[in-house]
Amino acid sequence: MNAAHSDTQLSPTAAVAGNVATERFRASGKTVNAHLSPEASRARVNLLATRAVRALNDIVLEERVTYAEYNALKAWLIKVGEDGEWPLWLDVWLEHSVEDVATDHRQGNKGSIEGPYYVPDAPELGPTDTIPMREDEEGTPLRFFGQVRSVDGTPLPEARVELWHADSDGYYSQFVPGIPEWNLRATFRVDAEGRFDLRTMQPAAYQIPTDGACGQLIAAAGWHAWRPAHLHLKVGAPGHELLTAQLYFPGDPHNDDDIATAVKPELMLEIAPNSAGSGHQTEYDFVLDPEPASP
Ligand code: DHB
Ligand code: FE
């Protein structure tokens, strides 16, 4: 059993990981919704906010929520903010549905949630390269190779494969102190046939921080905090929709009950012994949808 599966293991502190995730999100510019007119924007906010408020009121009336429960909710919502855990909460319990809506038209890969720990502009490496890692990086070496193509089968030699993932303790660089800045984060170019063949270290299963508001909810509800081990990817090419995906390892005990509901059957890797070295190897091809023609 991996050490990170033990419940006594220290998890990244909520105050650190949560607040870094909050600051990164603020700096990302993702909240700009410039394509809507002010009128269309108002109509949309009115619709969504009205439905959200109504849904909550329906729960109160149907479940006969008490003042004690209402005040527990108030205290908890205040704590989510204080712990900087809104990005964590939203990415675990809501992003998967937004991702489903955003990608259900695709003929190529549909992808999975981005999560709170993406950092843009990771160092660029060649198509046959090793991700930055510590000299004594622990874990099982992983050779990961494949091809990036368009839905019609054309290889995409201008593609970039961004990879980021947790280490063998389940920690992400830049969100937990003491890990080198770009550890287990890189942007890989592909070759003239759209192929990549890279080396990394298999990540461990990941426990969302348990010492903050999200952990408080999980404990109070009797849930667990685990996500199965996963690789995060963004695969992009000119003229194509950016694919944000995660890939999973067969046999992980949490593939079937991921707290973030972000596992899909087509995202499961096939893992084999590395034919050219130690550890494991896996092959996975990415198929990107062309961007819709602009009107
Ligand atoms: C969270 C962490 C992840 O690594 C991930 O992929 C999704 C969500 C989180 O802590 O919210
Ligand atoms: Fe993750």
Side-chain angles (χ1 to χ4, degrees):
M1 190 162 104
N2 190 300
H5 281 79
S6 142
D7 280 342
T8 55
Q9 153 122 7
L10 278 180
S11 64
T13 65
V16 176
N19 284 315
V20 179
T22 296
E23 285 316 313
R24 297 254 178 210
F25 177 73
R26 280 204 182 109
S28 72
K30 279 179 183 163
T31 56
V32 176
N33 201 357
H35 68 284
L36 288 183
S37 70
E39 299 74 39
S41 170
R42 213 160 23 245
R44 190 74 180 151
V45 173
N46 181 18
L47 171 74
L48 299 181
T50 300
R51 285 205 60 180
V53 170
R54 191 186 303 144
L56 287 170
N57 278 277
D58 284 348
I59 295 168
V60 170
L61 296 172
E62 285 165 26
E63 303 298 339
R64 302 189 59 79
V65 169
T66 65
Y67 260 103
E69 289 167 335
Y70 172 72
N71 287 323
L73 173 66
K74 203 185 263 188
W76 181 76
L77 288 169
I78 292 166
K79 185 170 165 55
V80 179
E82 284 171 351
D83 292 347
E85 285 204 336
W86 280 117
L88 272 60
W89 193 89
L90 288 161
D91 293 353
V92 163
W93 281 290
L94 204 56
E95 189 190 352
H96 65 93
S97 293
V98 180
E99 194 276 330
D100 282 344
V101 172
T103 64
D104 63 2
H105 65 283
R106 287 191 184 170
Q107 292 177 277
N109 292 59
K110 297 202 192 312
S112 189
I113 65 171
E114 176 178 305
Y117 298 147
Y118 172 63
V119 182
D121 304 319
E124 192 169 293
L125 300 175
T128 310
D129 237 325
T130 300
I131 204 166
M133 65 173 83
R134 291 160 286 195
E135 236 158 64
D136 57 351
E137 193 70 48
E138 288 188 20
T140 305
L142 180 69
R143 173 183 174 218
F144 173 39
F145 62 102
Q147 189 185 29
V148 186
R149 297 187 297 269
S150 190
V151 286
D152 67 0
T154 317
L156 295 171
E158 302 297 322
R160 294 286 182 277
V161 177
E162 281 185 84
L163 175 66
W164 76 101
H165 59 81
D167 65 14
S168 69
D169 288 325
Y171 297 162
Y172 286 84
S173 62
Q174 301 194 38
F175 292 86
V176 176
I179 304 178
E181 188 177 20
W182 294 105
N183 209 60
L184 304 177
R185 296 176 182 274
T187 304
F188 294 90
R189 293 187 297 273
V190 298
D191 71 11
E193 285 165 355
R195 293 185 193 280
F196 59 91
D197 188 352
L198 54 96
R199 304 288 181 284
T200 188
M201 205 55 93
Q202 237 170 270
Y206 167 85
Q207 189 173 202
I208 74 163
T210 51
D211 62 336
C214 289
Q216 194 183 37
L217 171 63
I218 287 167
W223 301 338
H224 72 76
W226 291 101
R227 298 216 57 222
H230 54 280
L231 303 174
H232 286 274
L233 293 128
K234 281 185 186 278
V235 183
H240 287 75
E241 292 186 30
L242 177 66
L243 170 66
T244 300
Q246 299 189 26
L247 296 171
Y248 301 92
F249 298 82
D252 190 292
H254 293 294
N255 281 336
D256 295 326
D257 68 348
D258 175 13
I259 180 112
T261 326
V263 181
K264 302 176 185 178
E266 69 262 31
L267 301 172
M268 199 57 62
L269 291 166
E270 281 178 34
I271 301 289
N274 184 356
S275 56
S278 61
H280 293 152
Q281 69 179 30
T282 187
E283 179 173 10
Y284 196 90
D285 292 347
F286 298 101
V287 179
L288 304 186
D289 279 56
E291 256 161 16
S294 38

